[in-house]
Amino acid sequence: MPNLAVLGLQWGDEGKGKIVDILAERSDAVVRFQGGNNAGHTIVVNSKKTILHLIPSGILYENSVCIIGNGVVVNPQTLIEEIETLRKSGIKVSPANLKISSNAHIIMPYHIRIDLLRESSKIGTTGRGIGPAYEDKIGRRGIRMCEFINPSTFKQRLEEFLEEKNMLIKFYGGEEFSIDIILSEYLKYSQFLKDYVFDTHQIINQYISDKKNILFEGAQGILLDIDHGTYPFVTSSNTCSGNIYSGSGIGSGKIKKIIGIVKAYTTRVGNGAFPTELEDSTGEFLRTQGGEFGSTTGRPRRCGWIDLVALKYAIDINGVDDIALTKIDVLSGLDEIKICTAYKLGNEILPYFTNSNEILKKVTPVYQSVKGWGVAFPKDIKDYSQLPNETKIFIKKIEESLKTKVSIVSTGPSRDETIFKENIWE
Ligand code: GDP
Ligand code: IMO
Ligand code: MG
């Protein structure tokens, strides 16, 4: 199997976890390269649900080494909890199959507090400290894994930064931190995690030289990308394919295929423009049928029709080779399915997507309709040819408009509810 990457092409929660889990069966390593525990990736195996926030979605396979790359921001407490939860359900997790980059930055408790205090800014963040942690990374005030696991360096770094953080917390009206309290808790975490820390870029490049199969797992979605998303209603990292290279430490040309995950409709958690949003009974239908409640915060996800204008942009920005279309089963029962094919601004049709939140708020989606395929989605479909005709027409429309083939169709949350329409491994 060549090296593959799985990226979300909408506003997150497209079903990346499920697809990564499926592809991980044939992978030697799965690498996360950005984001943090703002992500919530769900895997369902034999009706058992596992939600992963930081650990790559390959962890359920013993053969897969899971790597948390340098581009990720790591909350040590969440990571340890995730390791322990997995162990309790019988999954082996050790430094042999989980490796964290020595250059990954730590999410400190003050990052979380600042994130929560600032939420008056109405981004609708997950409150996990992601933005403040990336700010400190770029501002060269961050603490990296390699510093965190060395108690004297960790203490020194904290002494250097805490006063400034406390000033900020005070400014926002929050409670300040004492260095001793942070140290007493975080030194325990660092001792737990120290054996998991490696120069992961070296390991990944060695795997590449050894022709091992690597799967890169994106978090969030392209419309939440710090540069290309609907700024400022975005996350604080680059979610696009360009960041696979810097977030894991590999050179360009090492990835054979970028697989874009597309939900058969659109969802968004948090605030910001959403042209095809449905604030009516159809939106409610999608939310209920699709179980659209955040895997991380439990918030109801905003729901709307599939948006080919935004998807065309996402494909361009990421250089997507193949699409995995998920949650097609959720549309069952609708008489008519709408597909947004253009935006109108006043009387004009916009020639291309814009990531300007202000303009997106004003556009009117132009829809084409296709016929639905009846109430219950047929179970146990193994082959594309067994899909209802109306479903195939819907998929064809997506492929033709986006000039990209749909290679995987997901018809339910479980591993066995997956159709390989094309051979993505060749
Ligand atoms: P991610 O963040 O992209 O990994 O997606 P999430 O896990 O946050 O949200 C996707 C949700 O949809 C999870 O509950 C999955 O179990 C579920 N899911 C994934 N694929 C399908 C599918 O094809 N059909 C249905 N009904 N659910 C799916
Ligand atoms: P996965 O990987 C959906 C959204 C938040 C908020 C914005 C900024 O499961 O697809 P942040 O906490 O990152 O500063 O919040 O980004 N967001 C997500 N929405 N899925 C995610 O991850 C998300 N991660 C962040 O809701 O609007
Ligand atoms: Mg999610």
Side-chain angles (χ1 to χ4, degrees):
M1 181 173 121
N3 298 330
L4 304 174
V6 165
L7 301 177
L9 297 193
Q10 293 153 318
W11 275 290
D13 304 324
E14 298 89 350
K16 298 175 289 291
K18 169 184 164 159
I19 301 298
V20 169
D21 168 69
I22 298 268
L23 300 179
E25 190 182 3
R26 297 204 199 179
S27 310
D28 298 302
V30 182
V31 182
R32 274 275 309 265
F33 54 90
Q34 48 75 225
N37 62 316
N38 47 349
H41 298 174
T42 315
I43 304 169
V44 180
V45 182
N46 299 329
S47 307
K48 188 175 183 309
K49 194 191 252 197
T50 306
I51 299 179
L52 297 164
H53 299 285
L54 268 168
I55 297 180
S57 304
I59 198 73
L60 303 193
Y61 292 102
E62 275 191 29
N63 59 305
S64 240
V65 173
C66 286
I67 296 177
I68 296 178
N70 57 278
V72 176
V73 283
V74 178
N75 178 326
Q77 185 186 5
T78 316
L79 180 57
I80 293 169
E81 280 167 11
E82 209 161 290
I83 293 172
E84 286 178 339
T85 307
L86 286 168
R87 282 184 181 155
K88 273 190 204 131
S89 58
I91 293 151
K92 285 189 197 141
V93 187
S94 74
N97 70 337
L98 177 65
K99 300 180 191 295
I100 312 162
S101 167
S102 52
N103 286 337
H105 279 245
I106 302 292
I107 298 182
M108 295 299 296
Y110 46 78
H111 292 136
I112 300 169
R113 190 161 298 171
I114 293 168
D115 192 6
L116 292 169
L117 287 165
R118 273 187 190 149
E119 256 311 77
S120 54
S121 65
K122 302 280 184 295
I123 300 290
T125 72
T126 58
R128 301 299 193 258
I130 305 297
Y134 276 116
E135 277 171 40
D136 277 353
K137 171 177 173 170
I138 301 302
R140 293 159 295 183
R141 291 179 301 269
I143 300 177
R144 292 174 298 159
M145 259 298 165
C146 52
E147 292 151 343
F148 177 58
I149 58 172
N150 178 328
S152 61
T153 316
F154 178 44
K155 182 163 182 274
Q156 201 185 322
R157 299 291 275 168
L158 256 184
E159 279 166 350
E160 234 174 290
F161 307 129
L162 192 62
E163 196 180 346
E164 188 202 36
K165 296 297 149 199
N166 275 336
M167 272 169 55
L168 200 54
I169 289 170
K170 202 167 159 197
F171 171 80
Y172 288 119
E175 197 187 327
E176 294 164 56
F177 281 99
S178 106
I179 192 158
D180 294 334
I181 290 185
I182 297 185
L183 280 176
S184 69
E185 192 183 341
Y186 276 65
L187 283 174
K188 279 189 253 159
Y189 302 150
S190 71
Q191 290 317 291
F192 183 106
L193 290 175
K194 67 179 189 329
D195 295 338
Y196 290 82
V197 179
F198 296 86
D199 285 337
T200 52
H201 54 276
Q202 216 178 328
I203 298 173
I204 299 169
N205 281 298
Q206 188 60 51
Y207 286 172
I208 291 173
S209 302
D210 296 344
K211 305 256 180 297
K212 291 196 171 178
N213 303 317
I214 309 172
L215 181 59
F216 294 87
E217 173 181 7
Q220 290 82 51
I222 185 66
L223 299 175
L224 290 171
D225 182 283
I226 186 75
D227 285 293
H228 304 290
T230 48
Y231 193 90
F233 299 95
V234 292
T235 191
S236 295
S237 64
N238 281 112
T239 58
C240 62
S241 59
N243 198 20
I244 301 172
Y245 306 99
S246 45
S248 60
I250 63 163
S252 66
K254 305 294 181 198
I255 296 171
K256 177 90 185 289
K257 265 186 195 175
I258 308 277
I259 301 171
I261 315 296
V262 175
K263 204 182 281 197
Y265 48 99
T266 313
T267 61
R268 177 163 203 177
V269 202
N271 302 324
F274 181 175
T276 63
E277 182 170 14
L278 294 165
E279 290 177 282
D280 59 7
S281 58
T282 310
E284 194 51 49
F285 171 89
L286 294 173
R287 186 158 35 252
T288 313
Q289 292 286 112
E292 295 296 354
F293 295 88
S295 314
T296 298
T297 58
R299 289 178 289 177
R301 294 175 181 151
R302 299 157 65 193
C303 297
W305 296 117
I306 193 165
D307 182 343
L308 298 183
V309 183
L311 283 168
K312 168 80 179 77
Y313 169 74
I315 283 168
D316 288 351
I317 297 289
N318 289 300
V320 170
D321 297 292
D322 291 46
I323 290 173
L325 185 67
T326 61
K327 305 194 84 160
I328 189 110
D329 54 302
V330 174
L331 300 179
S332 303
L334 293 168
D335 295 331
E336 180 194 33
I337 295 162
K338 288 193 182 173
I339 301 172
C340 170
T341 53
Y343 294 157
K344 236 178 159 183
L345 185 63
N347 288 327
E348 277 183 44
I349 295 281
L350 286 188
Y352 195 67
F353 181 79
T354 167
N355 66 351
S356 154
N357 195 63
E358 287 315 302
I359 297 176
L360 282 180
K361 274 200 302 202
K362 292 188 197 133
V363 300
T364 314
V366 178
Y367 290 113
Q368 285 183 14
S369 291
V370 292
K371 224 169 133 244
W373 46 83
V375 179
F377 205 76
K379 275 264 163 213
D380 301 325
I381 292 184
K382 290 280 160 278
D383 194 83
Y384 188 73
S385 63
Q386 294 169 282
L387 283 174
N389 244 345
E390 292 82 356
T391 316
K392 286 191 240 168
I393 291 170
F394 174 67
I395 295 172
K396 199 154 196 241
K397 173 87 205 146
I398 295 170
E399 288 182 312
E400 283 175 357
S401 300
L402 299 177
K403 297 188 174 56
T404 309
K405 59 185 180 299
V406 170
S407 298
I408 300 173
V409 180
S410 173
T411 61
S414 304
R415 281 179 181 165
D416 56 1
E417 293 170 303
T418 315
I419 299 167
F420 283 91
K421 176 168 166 279
E422 312 276 339
N423 179 1
I424 56 139
W425 288 285
E426 66 185 13

mmCIF file with all atom_site columns, all heavy atoms in Angstrom, residues 42-54:
data_model
loop_
_atom_site.group_PDB
_atom_site.id
_atom_site.type_symbol
_atom_site.label_atom_id
_atom_site.label_alt_id
_atom_site.label_comp_id
_atom_site.label_asym_id
_atom_site.label_entity_id
_atom_site.label_seq_id
_atom_site.pdbx_PDB_ins_code
_atom_site.Cartn_x
_atom_site.Cartn_y
_atom_site.Cartn_z
_atom_site.occupancy
_atom_site.B_iso_or_equiv
_atom_site.pdbx_formal_charge
_atom_site.auth_seq_id
_atom_site.auth_comp_id
_atom_site.auth_asym_id
_atom_site.auth_atom_id
_atom_site.pdbx_PDB_model_num
ATOM 1   N N   . THR A 1 42 ? -14.436 9.008  15.742 1.00 0.00 ? 42 THR A N   1
ATOM 2   C CA  . THR A 1 42 ? -15.203 7.868  16.241 1.00 0.00 ? 42 THR A CA  1
ATOM 3   C C   . THR A 1 42 ? -14.961 6.628  15.385 1.00 0.00 ? 42 THR A C   1
ATOM 4   O O   . THR A 1 42 ? -15.007 6.698  14.157 1.00 0.00 ? 42 THR A O   1
ATOM 5   C CB  . THR A 1 42 ? -16.710 8.204  16.198 1.00 0.00 ? 42 THR A CB  1
ATOM 6   O OG1 . THR A 1 42 ? -16.879 9.526  16.723 1.00 0.00 ? 42 THR A OG1 1
ATOM 7   C CG2 . THR A 1 42 ? -17.538 7.208  16.986 1.00 0.00 ? 42 THR A CG2 1
ATOM 8   N N   . ILE A 1 43 ? -14.749 5.524  16.091 1.00 0.00 ? 43 ILE A N   1
ATOM 9   C CA  . ILE A 1 43 ? -14.585 4.232  15.406 1.00 0.00 ? 43 ILE A CA  1
ATOM 10  C C   . ILE A 1 43 ? -15.613 3.280  16.015 1.00 0.00 ? 43 ILE A C   1
ATOM 11  O O   . ILE A 1 43 ? -15.761 3.241  17.239 1.00 0.00 ? 43 ILE A O   1
ATOM 12  C CB  . ILE A 1 43 ? -13.165 3.660  15.651 1.00 0.00 ? 43 ILE A CB  1
ATOM 13  C CG1 . ILE A 1 43 ? -12.100 4.671  15.217 1.00 0.00 ? 43 ILE A CG1 1
ATOM 14  C CG2 . ILE A 1 43 ? -12.981 2.327  14.958 1.00 0.00 ? 43 ILE A CG2 1
ATOM 15  C CD1 . ILE A 1 43 ? -10.706 4.306  15.662 1.00 0.00 ? 43 ILE A CD1 1
ATOM 16  N N   . VAL A 1 44 ? -16.314 2.544  15.175 1.00 0.00 ? 44 VAL A N   1
ATOM 17  C CA  . VAL A 1 44 ? -17.283 1.576  15.694 1.00 0.00 ? 44 VAL A CA  1
ATOM 18  C C   . VAL A 1 44 ? -16.875 0.184  15.206 1.00 0.00 ? 44 VAL A C   1
ATOM 19  O O   . VAL A 1 44 ? -16.777 -0.062 14.004 1.00 0.00 ? 44 VAL A O   1
ATOM 20  C CB  . VAL A 1 44 ? -18.724 1.906  15.229 1.00 0.00 ? 44 VAL A CB  1
ATOM 21  C CG1 . VAL A 1 44 ? -19.715 0.888  15.773 1.00 0.00 ? 44 VAL A CG1 1
ATOM 22  C CG2 . VAL A 1 44 ? -19.115 3.319  15.672 1.00 0.00 ? 44 VAL A CG2 1
ATOM 23  N N   . VAL A 1 45 ? -16.588 -0.707 16.165 1.00 0.00 ? 45 VAL A N   1
ATOM 24  C CA  . VAL A 1 45 ? -16.228 -2.081 15.822 1.00 0.00 ? 45 VAL A CA  1
ATOM 25  C C   . VAL A 1 45 ? -17.109 -3.004 16.648 1.00 0.00 ? 45 VAL A C   1
ATOM 26  O O   . VAL A 1 45 ? -17.121 -2.911 17.880 1.00 0.00 ? 45 VAL A O   1
ATOM 27  C CB  . VAL A 1 45 ? -14.730 -2.378 16.115 1.00 0.00 ? 45 VAL A CB  1
ATOM 28  C CG1 . VAL A 1 45 ? -14.364 -3.798 15.695 1.00 0.00 ? 45 VAL A CG1 1
ATOM 29  C CG2 . VAL A 1 45 ? -13.837 -1.369 15.437 1.00 0.00 ? 45 VAL A CG2 1
ATOM 30  N N   . ASN A 1 46 ? -17.813 -3.890 15.987 1.00 0.00 ? 46 ASN A N   1
ATOM 31  C CA  . ASN A 1 46 ? -18.757 -4.809 16.662 1.00 0.00 ? 46 ASN A CA  1
ATOM 32  C C   . ASN A 1 46 ? -19.667 -4.047 17.633 1.00 0.00 ? 46 ASN A C   1
ATOM 33  O O   . ASN A 1 46 ? -19.780 -4.425 18.792 1.00 0.00 ? 46 ASN A O   1
ATOM 34  C CB  . ASN A 1 46 ? -18.006 -5.919 17.418 1.00 0.00 ? 46 ASN A CB  1
ATOM 35  C CG  . ASN A 1 46 ? -17.184 -6.756 16.474 1.00 0.00 ? 46 ASN A CG  1
ATOM 36  O OD1 . ASN A 1 46 ? -17.558 -6.927 15.314 1.00 0.00 ? 46 ASN A OD1 1
ATOM 37  N ND2 . ASN A 1 46 ? -16.042 -7.252 16.943 1.00 0.00 ? 46 ASN A ND2 1
ATOM 38  N N   . SER A 1 47 ? -20.237 -3.007 17.177 1.00 0.00 ? 47 SER A N   1
ATOM 39  C CA  . SER A 1 47 ? -21.160 -2.137 17.940 1.00 0.00 ? 47 SER A CA  1
ATOM 40  C C   . SER A 1 47 ? -20.503 -1.401 19.098 1.00 0.00 ? 47 SER A C   1
ATOM 41  O O   . SER A 1 47 ? -21.160 -0.689 19.844 1.00 0.00 ? 47 SER A O   1
ATOM 42  C CB  . SER A 1 47 ? -22.357 -2.918 18.491 1.00 0.00 ? 47 SER A CB  1
ATOM 43  O OG  . SER A 1 47 ? -22.984 -3.617 17.470 1.00 0.00 ? 47 SER A OG  1
ATOM 44  N N   . LYS A 1 48 ? -19.195 -1.564 19.286 1.00 0.00 ? 48 LYS A N   1
ATOM 45  C CA  . LYS A 1 48 ? -18.512 -0.853 20.373 1.00 0.00 ? 48 LYS A CA  1
ATOM 46  C C   . LYS A 1 48 ? -17.899 0.442  19.806 1.00 0.00 ? 48 LYS A C   1
ATOM 47  O O   . LYS A 1 48 ? -17.154 0.408  18.828 1.00 0.00 ? 48 LYS A O   1
ATOM 48  C CB  . LYS A 1 48 ? -17.421 -1.737 20.975 1.00 0.00 ? 48 LYS A CB  1
ATOM 49  C CG  . LYS A 1 48 ? -16.807 -1.137 22.212 1.00 0.00 ? 48 LYS A CG  1
ATOM 50  C CD  . LYS A 1 48 ? -15.819 -2.118 22.838 1.00 0.00 ? 48 LYS A CD  1
ATOM 51  C CE  . LYS A 1 48 ? -15.212 -1.618 24.112 1.00 0.00 ? 48 LYS A CE  1
ATOM 52  N NZ  . LYS A 1 48 ? -14.636 -0.298 24.103 1.00 0.00 ? 48 LYS A NZ  1
ATOM 53  N N   . LYS A 1 49 ? -18.252 1.538  20.486 1.00 0.00 ? 49 LYS A N   1
ATOM 54  C CA  . LYS A 1 49 ? -17.795 2.841  20.000 1.00 0.00 ? 49 LYS A CA  1
ATOM 55  C C   . LYS A 1 49 ? -16.528 3.279  20.740 1.00 0.00 ? 49 LYS A C   1
ATOM 56  O O   . LYS A 1 49 ? -16.473 3.208  21.965 1.00 0.00 ? 49 LYS A O   1
ATOM 57  C CB  . LYS A 1 49 ? -18.921 3.845  20.279 1.00 0.00 ? 49 LYS A CB  1
ATOM 58  C CG  . LYS A 1 49 ? -18.780 5.154  19.552 1.00 0.00 ? 49 LYS A CG  1
ATOM 59  C CD  . LYS A 1 49 ? -19.755 6.162  20.080 1.00 0.00 ? 49 LYS A CD  1
ATOM 60  C CE  . LYS A 1 49 ? -20.870 6.450  19.106 1.00 0.00 ? 49 LYS A CE  1
ATOM 61  N NZ  . LYS A 1 49 ? -21.584 7.691  19.438 1.00 0.00 ? 49 LYS A NZ  1
ATOM 62  N N   . THR A 1 50 ? -15.527 3.712  20.007 1.00 0.00 ? 50 THR A N   1
ATOM 63  C CA  . THR A 1 50 ? -14.323 4.288  20.616 1.00 0.00 ? 50 THR A CA  1
ATOM 64  C C   . THR A 1 50 ? -14.164 5.695  20.056 1.00 0.00 ? 50 THR A C   1
ATOM 65  O O   . THR A 1 50 ? -14.182 5.872  18.831 1.00 0.00 ? 50 THR A O   1
ATOM 66  C CB  . THR A 1 50 ? -13.070 3.456  20.236 1.00 0.00 ? 50 THR A CB  1
ATOM 67  O OG1 . THR A 1 50 ? -13.319 2.095  20.589 1.00 0.00 ? 50 THR A OG1 1
ATOM 68  C CG2 . THR A 1 50 ? -11.816 3.947  20.922 1.00 0.00 ? 50 THR A CG2 1
ATOM 69  N N   . ILE A 1 51 ? -14.025 6.674  20.948 1.00 0.00 ? 51 ILE A N   1
ATOM 70  C CA  . ILE A 1 51 ? -13.794 8.045  20.454 1.00 0.00 ? 51 ILE A CA  1
ATOM 71  C C   . ILE A 1 51 ? -12.365 8.435  20.821 1.00 0.00 ? 51 ILE A C   1
ATOM 72  O O   . ILE A 1 51 ? -11.984 8.388  21.991 1.00 0.00 ? 51 ILE A O   1
ATOM 73  C CB  . ILE A 1 51 ? -14.806 9.050  21.040 1.00 0.00 ? 51 ILE A CB  1
ATOM 74  C CG1 . ILE A 1 51 ? -16.239 8.660  20.639 1.00 0.00 ? 51 ILE A CG1 1
ATOM 75  C CG2 . ILE A 1 51 ? -14.503 10.474 20.543 1.00 0.00 ? 51 ILE A CG2 1
ATOM 76  C CD1 . ILE A 1 51 ? -17.328 9.567  21.172 1.00 0.00 ? 51 ILE A CD1 1
ATOM 77  N N   . LEU A 1 52 ? -11.604 8.780  19.815 1.00 0.00 ? 52 LEU A N   1
ATOM 78  C CA  . LEU A 1 52 ? -10.209 9.172  20.037 1.00 0.00 ? 52 LEU A CA  1
ATOM 79  C C   . LEU A 1 52 ? -10.060 10.668 19.815 1.00 0.00 ? 52 LEU A C   1
ATOM 80  O O   . LEU A 1 52 ? -10.642 11.222 18.871 1.00 0.00 ? 52 LEU A O   1
ATOM 81  C CB  . LEU A 1 52 ? -9.308  8.411  19.073 1.00 0.00 ? 52 LEU A CB  1
ATOM 82  C CG  . LEU A 1 52 ? -9.315  6.888  19.264 1.00 0.00 ? 52 LEU A CG  1
ATOM 83  C CD1 . LEU A 1 52 ? -8.727  6.194  18.056 1.00 0.00 ? 52 LEU A CD1 1
ATOM 84  C CD2 . LEU A 1 52 ? -8.550  6.503  20.531 1.00 0.00 ? 52 LEU A CD2 1
ATOM 85  N N   . HIS A 1 53 ? -9.302  11.301 20.689 1.00 0.00 ? 53 HIS A N   1
ATOM 86  C CA  . HIS A 1 53 ? -9.102  12.744 20.549 1.00 0.00 ? 53 HIS A CA  1
ATOM 87  C C   . HIS A 1 53 ? -7.673  13.068 20.101 1.00 0.00 ? 53 HIS A C   1
ATOM 88  O O   . HIS A 1 53 ? -7.434  14.008 19.373 1.00 0.00 ? 53 HIS A O   1
ATOM 89  C CB  . HIS A 1 53 ? -9.417  13.444 21.874 1.00 0.00 ? 53 HIS A CB  1
ATOM 90  C CG  . HIS A 1 53 ? -10.853 13.223 22.288 1.00 0.00 ? 53 HIS A CG  1
ATOM 91  N ND1 . HIS A 1 53 ? -11.900 13.865 21.683 1.00 0.00 ? 53 HIS A ND1 1
ATOM 92  C CD2 . HIS A 1 53 ? -11.404 12.406 23.211 1.00 0.00 ? 53 HIS A CD2 1
ATOM 93  C CE1 . HIS A 1 53 ? -13.045 13.467 22.223 1.00 0.00 ? 53 HIS A CE1 1
ATOM 94  N NE2 . HIS A 1 53 ? -12.760 12.573 23.156 1.00 0.00 ? 53 HIS A NE2 1
ATOM 95  N N   . LEU A 1 54 ? -6.724  12.282 20.592 1.00 0.00 ? 54 LEU A N   1
ATOM 96  C CA  . LEU A 1 54 ? -5.316  12.567 20.299 1.00 0.00 ? 54 LEU A CA  1
ATOM 97  C C   . LEU A 1 54 ? -4.594  11.391 19.655 1.00 0.00 ? 54 LEU A C   1
ATOM 98  O O   . LEU A 1 54 ? -3.724  11.573 18.818 1.00 0.00 ? 54 LEU A O   1
ATOM 99  C CB  . LEU A 1 54 ? -4.595  12.900 21.608 1.00 0.00 ? 54 LEU A CB  1
ATOM 100 C CG  . LEU A 1 54 ? -4.543  14.367 21.993 1.00 0.00 ? 54 LEU A CG  1
ATOM 101 C CD1 . LEU A 1 54 ? -4.064  14.513 23.426 1.00 0.00 ? 54 LEU A CD1 1
ATOM 102 C CD2 . LEU A 1 54 ? -3.622  15.148 21.061 1.00 0.00 ? 54 LEU A CD2 1
#
